[in-house]
Amino acid sequence: MLCARSPEAERPVERTVKAPRHGRAAAHLHQGKVGFLLITAAPLLIGAQSPQGNLEERLLAAHNRERATAGVSALHWDARLAASASHWAARLAVDGQLLHQSGASGSGHGENLWIGTVGRFGPEAMVGQWAEEKANFVPGSFPFVSRTGRWEDVGHYTQIIWRDTRRVGCAIRSGPAWDVLVCRYSLPGNVAGEAPL
């Protein structure tokens, strides 16, 4: 099974919102109305999408950017994997915990999990936190693929780039305090004795 990202591992929100490229100023956030206004208006000012708009396309694109960088073929969206992920994500969002669904790997699916403060992260940031693990990735046979000696430190990333994986389906569900992302993969990655690339 892959490791889960705990709420304690959540990244802090950046303290500076930069103006669009053609602008000159950066607005520093302060507690109060000015900071709130900048945070809520920034996506409109720079033409960004809502945090959850076009979810399937954005999740697939985030995965495929990492795969292209690693030199492996693009994934295809799988609605059945997404439906399965949706049921599990809904349960985790209510519970506020990350647990791999027992039997997910036995069913021929890999699984990545993510949790963060409700409404604070878009799908690219969620997948991006998994992709950050590539800083510790070293080529080799699984589980000997991490600079740290712990495969858990790169397990989300290796699942994303696993060369034999062809399909992905994901879902984001929100609970009272947490957004949960569950992605399911077929064929599963992180297979002992095999190389990710």
Side-chain angles (χ1 to χ4, degrees), residues 25-37:
H28 294 281
L29 299 181
H30 304 282
Q31 289 187 351
K33 293 180 182 176
V34 174
F36 176 76
L37 179 61

Side-chain angles (χ1 to χ4, degrees), residues 9-161:
E10 183 178 315
R11 305 273 194 288
V13 174
E14 290 186 27
R15 299 290 182 220
T16 301
V17 175
K18 294 185 180 178
R21 252 182 117 188
H22 57 278
R24 293 183 181 185
H28 294 281
L29 299 181
H30 304 282
Q31 289 187 351
K33 293 180 182 176
V34 174
F36 176 76
L37 179 61
L38 289 171
I39 290 172
T40 53
L44 299 174
L45 294 172
I46 60 175
Q49 300 176 8
S50 70
Q52 305 304 330
N54 301 318
L55 186 62
E56 292 175 12
E57 294 87 0
R58 292 170 68 191
L59 285 164
L60 184 61
H63 278 81
N64 284 334
R65 273 190 296 277
E66 290 304 320
R67 291 179 66 86
T69 300
V72 292
S73 63
L75 295 174
H76 299 281
W77 189 261
D78 186 305
R80 284 181 291 202
L81 291 174
S84 173
S86 179
H87 292 296
W88 190 240
R91 179 171 168 195
L92 296 177
V94 170
D95 294 344
Q97 298 182 49
L98 285 186
L99 300 169
H100 285 282
Q101 187 170 13
S102 80
S105 61
S107 65
H109 303 142
E111 181 176 75
N112 274 350
L113 306 174
W114 181 95
I115 193 169
T117 304
V118 70
R120 298 277 294 273
F121 299 89
E124 295 85 359
M126 295 172 182
V127 175
Q129 286 186 359
W130 293 334
E132 288 173 5
E133 296 173 355
K134 71 182 161 190
N136 286 318
F137 174 72
V138 293
S141 293
F142 194 82
F144 308 106
V145 291
S146 175
R147 294 181 201 289
T148 67
R150 293 173 27 93
W151 70 266
E152 295 92 343
D153 294 338
V154 297
H156 299 102
Y157 175 70
T158 53
Q159 175 58 81
I160 290 171
I161 64 161

